Amino acid sequence: GLAILFFESSFTIVKAAEWILRIGLGVFFVWSGVVKLQDLQAFTEAVGNFQIVGEPWDAVIAYSLPWVEIFAGLAVASGFGKSGGLVIIIGMLVVFNVAIAWVWSKGLNINCGCYGKDSEPTNYPLKLAANFGLILVAAACLVFMWFQRRLATPIQENTVTP
């Protein structure tokens, strides 16, 4: 009675939370990739400003990364390959945070190019915090997906055979 009601309502709440977070995160990364594709020259310059890789690798990254963001975002939002998409997004965000921290430690005053061309330099603490928040959202989606699988798996009775 009550246990089944709790189980069903927990499952529904977790499923709804995962769906909302997953759709929002996926759409955000699709948008982020599309914005970069609209001015690849400016994004290539932004990647070069990090002074981590030189030519032609700055262009290779700038021309590839938006597509990775778009396909990972589509996987997460659509649900087809969502676990892989979430892992890719977490990986990208960790790399972005390392790059932002590196630039900040070097005293460089650049715009990260994360959302298109902007004349304002990146607020490094805010960017690191925002990326960390996105990592938490992606990780929460993975946890919610795991939790849903756990709730959907029938509990086996311990049986003793003679």
Side-chain angles (χ1 to χ4, degrees), residues 20-135:
I20 290 167
L21 291 175
R22 189 171 49 78
I23 299 297
L25 187 68
V27 167
F28 176 78
F29 272 87
V30 169
W31 169 80
S32 178
V34 168
V35 166
K36 289 174 181 82
L37 286 177
Q38 291 175 351
D39 191 351
L40 284 171
Q41 187 60 40
F43 186 53
T44 301
E45 184 179 317
V47 171
N49 288 341
F50 278 80
Q51 299 177 13
I52 296 174
V53 296
E55 292 180 5
W57 298 108
D58 56 351
V60 170
I61 291 169
Y63 278 66
S64 304
L65 185 62
W67 291 107
V68 175
E69 288 182 325
I70 290 168
F71 286 119
L74 286 172
V76 170
S78 71
F80 297 109
K82 61 186 172 183
S83 295
L86 288 165
V87 169
I88 289 169
I89 285 172
I90 290 171
M92 283 190 300
L93 288 166
V94 167
V95 170
F96 295 161
N97 270 359
V98 168
I100 292 290
W102 188 86
V103 168
W104 189 15
S105 76
K106 296 296 179 191
L108 300 175
N109 194 16
I110 67 165
N111 179 282
C112 68
C114 298
Y115 313 116
K117 191 171 185 170
D118 189 359
S119 60
E120 292 296 315
T122 298
N123 179 331
Y124 298 132
L126 185 61
K127 176 50 68 181
L128 290 169
N131 285 350
F132 185 68
L134 291 170
I135 290 169

